[in-house]
Amino acid sequence: MTNAAAPAPGALEFKDDYTPAEAARVIRNSKGLPVGVRPKLVWTPAKIALWAAIAVVCAVAWSVLAVSRGEQISAIWFIVVALSSYAIAYRFYAYYIQIKIMRTDDANATPAERVHDGANFERTDRRVLFGQHFAAISGAGPLVGPILAAQMGYLPSTLWIILGVIFAGAVQDMMMLWISARRRGRSFGQMATDEMGKFGGMILSIFLVVMTAIAMAFLALVAINAMASSPWAVFSIAMTIPIALVMGCYQRFLRPGRVIETTILGFALLILDIVAGGWIAESSLASVFTLSKPALVIALVIYSFAAAALPHWLLVTPRDYLSTLMKIGTLALLVVGIVIANPSVRFPAVSELAFVSNGPTFSGSLFPFLFITIACGALSGFHGAVASGLTPKAVEKENQIRMIGYGSMLVESFTAIIALIAAVTLSQGLYFSTNMSAAQIQAAAGQSYSASASAETNAVAAVDGLKVSDIEGNHLATTWESTDEAGNPRTYEGEEALTRAAADLGEKTIVSRTGGATTFAMGMANFLKSYLGGQGAMAFWYHFAIMFEALFILTTVDNGTRVARYQIGELLGNVRKLRKFADPTWKPGNIVTTLIATALWGGLLWMGVADANGGINSMVPIFGISNQLLAAACFVLVTVCVVKMGYVKYAWVTIVPLVWDVAVTFTADVQKIFGPLSYFAVARKYQAQIASGSLEGKALENAQAGLSNAYLDGVLSVFFLVMMAAFVVVGVVVVVRTLAAGRFGAKTTSEELFAESQWFAPSGLVATGLEKKVQREYAAKLHALKAEAAE
């Protein structure tokens, strides 16, 4: 879906009515074409009053969340504190980085304009690209991580989700997009080779390929757990593929540049798709779309191969844009639902589980594992891979980088806040019953566990055995708000609460639905039914949420496969006889590298599906650690580039989050290699069980799968720690040598030489008044130049 240069009706006549101040901000090339507008922070009394008010509201909201104890508080405070914090950060901190470090220049052509091959390098409308980039980075992390981390209370998670994204996650995404856009859209690994030498580049390239495979397997596993045995979700997700193809062809051939028309078409088809999914689920065709987990693995691998190999504009871009319409629209509906329902927070600010290392949803202490578990909601190294090599190949103008890089990460963080609200407004007993695996329930229930009892009975026994208090200091309870047979409001408790919740949601059971997807869907259904359909609509909104989550995640999988394809191609291209693989336009190379990428994460996904705990429990830590280690690598590379450019006094912007991230991830990795939380300790436990001869049948099969996963995760943990430690050392050496040499500037880096832009596009989602004037002048002058050339 490309941006249209074609002038709008009435745009060919331009009257120069710029004020002197406006004229000074217009950037022109040597032909006199306006190609950009210089960013400027303009203060007026009204703006000063507005931002002062936002700051006061932000401070009050933070105070409520931080000091409230022993009483229920409204979940609306989470919305207020998040949105006000994001607004301040985007307007001031991100702008500061853009002006002082990035120094974006719209007079300089981006890779999409320099190359423009119509396949990988394609100028894409900023609104569409924002949606595509957001869809590519927003996978399972912001939905799963905060929900699992909620076991430790709402305050630690809220602090990291909001402050972490402002000072780390969004900074990383924006600056990785910036350095890649200045280097012809090169991928992370190739930039590391160019800036830090072949040794550092090789380390990172290998790490990237392995980590991306793990990330794709983890994200796909969460989606598969959500879609398994759900014909509604499977049908609705499958139909987004032909809808995307229709959108891509409509935008490319039928109505080029008509973004709003394509949006309306895609939205209408998407709504029809969702409704049709409900019809299918109730029809005789339900069995056709009721797929097992292994069948979903095969289907997902085939789809991802096609999405990565086909031209970007045909499937990936329109499908990502389509999913973003649904994501942003659903988030807006959820915010309205939270405001109307005004749910109370049931979880304490900090729970007893924050001080132990054997929590029921994930193991590990608050530091470092809460930060590892939340992952993408605050900071994600995988985003750096998307922001380098994928998005920069499509960005129109450099001044769009703040909006796309920093802005989209803020939206993802807000998604994580919504997911946290969904968890902490449920009763804690319901939350733990849903997110504990069968093995964890058995362990928590102890002597109260009965193999002949129902899953609900054992879940309640397990909850009763947990030493956890609610926000008012009472022992956690298992409750569910619903209606009785007469339609009157009623609070169900204990086993009856779990049974009634499943019935309201149209499920047979909600016990041991690990991974957070079911928890989010329950919370989402609670919010939406408050003003859209009432209690009778719970099942509809629950299944809508499951489809929403799966679509949310799968858009990251197809983009991740394309990213892995680029990485593998550039890695193979370092071998002299395989150099042609580094060319992303070589079709045979695309097919080979895509096959390798899908085989890598498809194999890991198959192992995850075979895990007795649904794969989630074993994959969350390894995904989180590798993801955060990759974030550290992003900060190392960006720091090297910042220092080489001579902006040493601003290097703290990347060094501070780098030091924090290294402390967190290296500590977590060491704990997962040595000690009682290590994968090798888990492997020894499984080995002992197998060797005892007491297991047979399914139990023996599960233990063997668990043993294989534990050893694989342990070996990968060692690999990650060694590789990233070496990469950090290489980065430090490069920085020290650069400072010692005293040579700075673009000539000391791999940054492309300046190339004059011939293109104009606004910087933000909504064009300013000045940008609209420039757009009209650009269209008129471009038309005149074309007419002159034709003569």
Side-chain angles (χ1 to χ4, degrees):
M1 300 176 70
T2 59
N3 188 35
L12 298 183
E13 296 181 3
F14 173 73
K15 181 181 180 181
D16 187 349
D17 57 351
Y18 297 122
T19 66
E22 289 177 336
R25 292 179 59 197
V26 178
I27 303 170
R28 300 180 184 278
N29 63 15
S30 60
K31 296 179 181 179
L33 275 175
V35 294
V37 175
R38 293 182 180 88
K40 186 178 180 180
L41 184 60
V42 180
W43 286 108
T44 64
K47 286 186 177 181
I48 293 173
L50 173 64
W51 285 108
I54 292 173
V56 170
V57 170
C58 184
V60 171
W62 273 115
S63 298
V64 170
L65 295 185
V67 304
S68 295
R69 295 292 187 275
E71 60 179 351
Q72 294 188 10
I73 60 174
S74 170
I76 295 176
W77 286 111
F78 289 84
I79 303 292
V80 174
V81 77
L83 293 180
S84 58
S85 298
Y86 297 152
I88 294 170
Y90 181 80
R91 191 65 186 89
F92 298 101
Y93 189 56
Y95 180 77
Y96 172 84
I97 297 171
Q98 178 182 4
I99 298 301
K100 297 296 185 180
I101 300 179
M102 293 162 52
R103 308 188 185 192
T104 51
D105 183 6
D106 278 353
N108 189 26
T110 63
E113 186 177 354
R114 293 173 187 240
V115 182
H116 199 231
D117 63 359
N120 298 288
F121 294 84
E122 180 73 35
R123 289 187 303 256
T124 304
D125 184 276
R126 67 198 185 284
R127 295 159 294 187
V128 176
L129 187 59
F130 179 91
Q132 178 195 328
H133 183 76
F134 173 65
I137 66 173
S138 54
L143 300 179
V144 174
I147 287 175
L148 298 180
Q151 72 171 8
M152 293 186 173
Y154 68 78
L155 187 57
S157 298
T158 304
L159 286 168
W160 176 235
I161 290 170
I162 296 177
L163 299 182
V165 74
I166 289 173
F167 296 106
V171 173
Q172 171 211 261
D173 290 16
M174 177 174 66
M175 297 191 74
M176 284 296 291
L177 179 53
W178 163 62
I179 65 171
S180 182
R182 287 283 180 90
R183 290 161 176 78
R184 199 174 284 260
R186 294 188 186 95
S187 70
F188 194 177
Q190 188 58 49
M191 289 193 297
T193 301
D194 296 338
E195 300 292 342
M196 300 170 60
K198 290 185 177 180
F199 179 67
M202 184 62 70
I203 290 174
L204 187 61
S205 295
I206 296 173
F207 181 90
L208 271 167
V209 171
V210 177
M211 185 272 158
T212 303
I214 292 172
M216 294 304 96
F218 169 76
L219 296 173
L221 181 58
V222 176
I224 283 175
N225 281 347
M227 291 192 298
S229 302
S230 175
W232 192 337
V234 171
F235 173 82
S236 298
I237 294 297
M239 288 304 297
T240 60
I241 298 173
I243 292 174
L245 293 173
V246 169
M247 291 175 66
C249 293
Y250 184 89
Q251 175 77 8
R252 184 79 173 188
F253 303 114
L254 298 179
R255 301 282 285 174
R258 305 293 182 176
V259 176
I260 296 178
E261 287 183 19
T262 311
T263 300
I264 294 173
L265 173 64
F267 182 76
L269 292 174
L270 181 62
I271 296 299
L272 178 61
D273 175 31
I274 295 169
V275 174
W279 297 338
I280 292 294
E282 299 296 328
S283 73
S284 59
L285 294 174
S287 59
V288 176
F289 294 95
T290 303
L291 302 181
S292 65
K293 290 182 179 181
L296 285 170
V297 171
I298 296 171
L300 189 53
V301 167
I302 293 173
Y303 160 73
S304 297
F305 172 82
L310 289 172
H312 208 269
W313 61 265
L314 179 59
L315 179 58
V316 173
T317 295
R319 189 176 185 278
D320 289 353
Y321 183 58
L322 182 67
S323 70
T324 300
L325 288 176
M326 182 176 174
K327 292 175 183 181
I328 300 296
T330 302
L331 287 177
L333 290 176
L334 286 173
V335 170
V336 173
I338 291 170
V339 171
I340 292 175
N342 192 21
S344 296
V345 175
R346 309 283 191 90
F347 285 45
V350 182
S351 80
E352 294 87 345
L353 295 175
F355 308 103
V356 300
S357 60
N358 59 342
T361 64
F362 72 92
S363 299
S365 54
L366 190 152
F367 181 87
F369 286 102
L370 177 132
F371 309 98
I372 295 297
T373 301
I374 289 177
C376 306
L379 174 64
S380 171
F382 174 72
H383 295 185
V386 175
S388 61
L390 189 63
T391 303
K393 289 183 171 69
V395 68
E396 296 173 298
K397 307 298 293 185
E398 287 190 0
N399 279 329
Q400 295 175 354
I401 290 175
R402 175 165 69 115
M403 181 265 291
I404 294 171
Y406 201 96
S408 61
M409 185 56 195
L410 292 182
V411 178
E412 176 160 4
S413 177
F414 187 59
T415 304
I417 288 293
I418 297 296
L420 180 66
I421 295 173
V424 300
T425 52
L426 294 173
S427 76
Q428 287 171 284
L430 192 75
Y431 164 83
F432 285 115
S433 297
T434 303
N435 288 287
M436 288 192 292
S437 68
Q440 289 168 320
I441 286 177
Q442 183 174 354
Q447 295 182 347
S448 299
Y449 182 85
S450 172
S452 60
S454 67
E456 287 73 18
T457 299
N458 286 325
V460 172
V463 167
D464 290 340
L466 296 175
K467 297 179 180 179
V468 181
S469 302
D470 64 17
I471 195 170
E472 296 176 326
N474 304 314
H475 186 272
L476 77 168
T478 303
T479 61
W480 176 255
E481 309 294 332
S482 185
T483 56
D484 59 20
E485 294 180 357
N488 299 313
R490 178 185 169 185
T491 299
Y492 293 84
E493 299 180 356
E495 181 180 348
E496 194 176 13
L498 298 176
T499 304
R500 180 66 185 193
D504 284 348
L505 300 170
E507 294 287 326
K508 293 180 179 179
T509 182
I510 59 169
V511 175
S512 297
R513 300 291 292 271
T514 59
T518 297
T519 303
F520 180 81
M522 285 193 292
M524 182 171 164
N526 264 326
F527 302 148
L528 294 180
K529 61 96 173 178
S530 66
Y531 73 108
L532 293 173
Q535 190 67 33
M538 283 288 290
F540 173 85
W541 288 120
Y542 172 81
H543 286 91
F544 173 87
I546 292 295
M547 190 209 66
F548 165 80
E549 291 176 290
L551 183 63
F552 207 99
I553 295 165
L554 292 181
T555 50
T556 304
V557 174
D558 53 35
N559 277 282
T561 304
R562 183 175 287 265
V563 169
R565 187 195 94 189
Y566 291 141
Q567 293 166 356
I568 294 169
E570 290 182 350
L571 182 61
L572 294 175
N574 290 321
V575 180
R576 183 175 302 175
K577 294 184 178 181
L578 302 176
R579 189 166 295 170
K580 200 169 182 180
F581 279 96
D583 180 6
T585 64
W586 186 44
K587 292 183 180 180
N590 288 348
I591 294 174
V592 172
T593 52
T594 304
L595 280 172
I596 296 173
T598 50
L600 284 173
W601 66 256
L604 290 174
L605 177 60
W606 192 270
M607 292 182 65
V609 167
D611 192 328
N613 288 325
I616 292 294
N617 292 319
S618 63
M619 294 190 77
V620 163
I622 194 65
F623 165 73
I625 290 172
S626 62
N627 191 31
Q628 304 297 291
L629 283 172
L630 186 57
C634 290
F635 282 121
V636 168
L637 177 60
V638 173
T639 301
V640 167
C641 293
V642 169
V643 171
K644 282 188 172 185
M645 289 297 295
Y647 308 145
V648 180
K649 66 178 180 179
Y650 303 115
W652 62 268
V653 169
T654 56
I655 291 176
V656 170
L658 168 61
V659 172
W660 167 259
D661 192 38
V662 166
V664 168
T665 51
F666 279 49
T667 301
D669 211 357
V670 168
Q671 291 187 19
K672 298 304 289 187
I673 296 172
F674 306 100
L677 293 178
S678 75
Y679 291 112
F680 298 108
V682 174
R684 287 193 293 271
K685 181 190 72 173
Y686 281 124
Q687 188 66 60
Q689 291 176 351
I690 294 171
S692 68
S694 60
L695 301 179
E696 57 183 26
K698 188 65 175 179
L700 178 61
E701 188 178 320
N702 289 339
Q704 290 171 336
L707 177 65
S708 299
N709 282 337
Y711 272 128
L712 175 62
D713 290 344
V715 171
L716 287 173
S717 293
V718 174
F719 168 78
F720 291 150
L721 186 63
V722 172
M723 297 287 276
M724 275 302 101
F727 187 76
V728 171
V729 170
V730 172
V732 171
V733 170
V734 172
V735 168
V736 170
R737 286 179 176 174
T738 300
L739 294 174
R743 294 179 62 251
F744 307 105
K747 293 182 179 179
T748 67
T749 74
S750 61
E751 187 174 303
E752 294 273 315
L753 296 176
F754 177 87
E756 191 175 69
S757 176
Q758 307 294 327
W759 184 263
F760 174 79
S763 299
L765 285 175
V766 179
T768 65
L770 177 55
E771 286 175 332
K772 290 177 181 178
K773 289 183 182 180
V774 174
Q775 182 78 66
R776 290 194 295 271
E777 182 191 358
Y778 173 80
K781 287 195 171 182
L782 185 64
H783 177 75
L785 287 172
K786 288 182 177 179
E788 183 180 336
E791 293 176 359

